[in-house]
Amino acid sequence: MKTIYKYPIKITDRQTFPIPVGANILTVQTQNGNPFIWAIVDTEAPTEEVSIIVHGTGHPIYESSNLEYIGTFQSNGKCFVFHVFKEIQH
């Protein structure tokens, strides 16, 4: 069954979490001050580990060739801006 799920993310360079195979990541936004990714998932699909990369504005991006942009969110009263990417596995 297709459903929209949300996944909490941390403000850290790299993190990995399980998500159903074939998930379509829709957006990243904050809810109650915490960042989340929303995705359309097939709840009956097996899961795979997905790597999410978070870069702050002005921080170096070392592996830009295999990153898919998800979105941007603001944190800490809009003082900090972060850009979120999914690492594409080849």
Side-chain angles (χ1 to χ4, degrees):
M1 174 198 299
K2 297 277 183 167
T3 304
I4 297 177
Y5 277 4
K6 73 176 181 182
Y7 298 88
I9 63 170
K10 299 174 186 168
I11 301 175
T12 186
D13 290 344
R14 177 185 302 271
Q15 58 204 283
T16 303
F17 55 86
I19 192 168
V21 172
N24 179 18
I25 296 176
L26 301 172
T27 190
V28 59
Q29 295 186 33
T30 57
Q31 184 176 42
N32 298 320
N34 299 307
F36 292 89
I37 288 175
W38 279 264
I40 297 174
V41 302
D42 180 347
T43 58
E44 297 173 10
T47 60
E48 64 181 346
E49 291 293 313
V50 172
S51 291
I52 299 297
I53 313 298
V54 179
H55 289 295
T57 299
H59 294 211
I61 300 174
Y62 297 107
E63 301 171 16
S64 62
S65 63
N66 60 337
L67 299 180
E68 179 181 287
Y69 177 72
I70 297 171
T72 296
F73 70 93
Q74 297 178 346
S75 181
N76 194 22
K78 300 184 180 182
C79 292
F80 300 107
V81 180
F82 297 95
H83 312 279
V84 181
F85 301 84
K86 176 184 173 186
E87 186 173 36
I88 303 303
Q89 302 297 323
H90 298 284

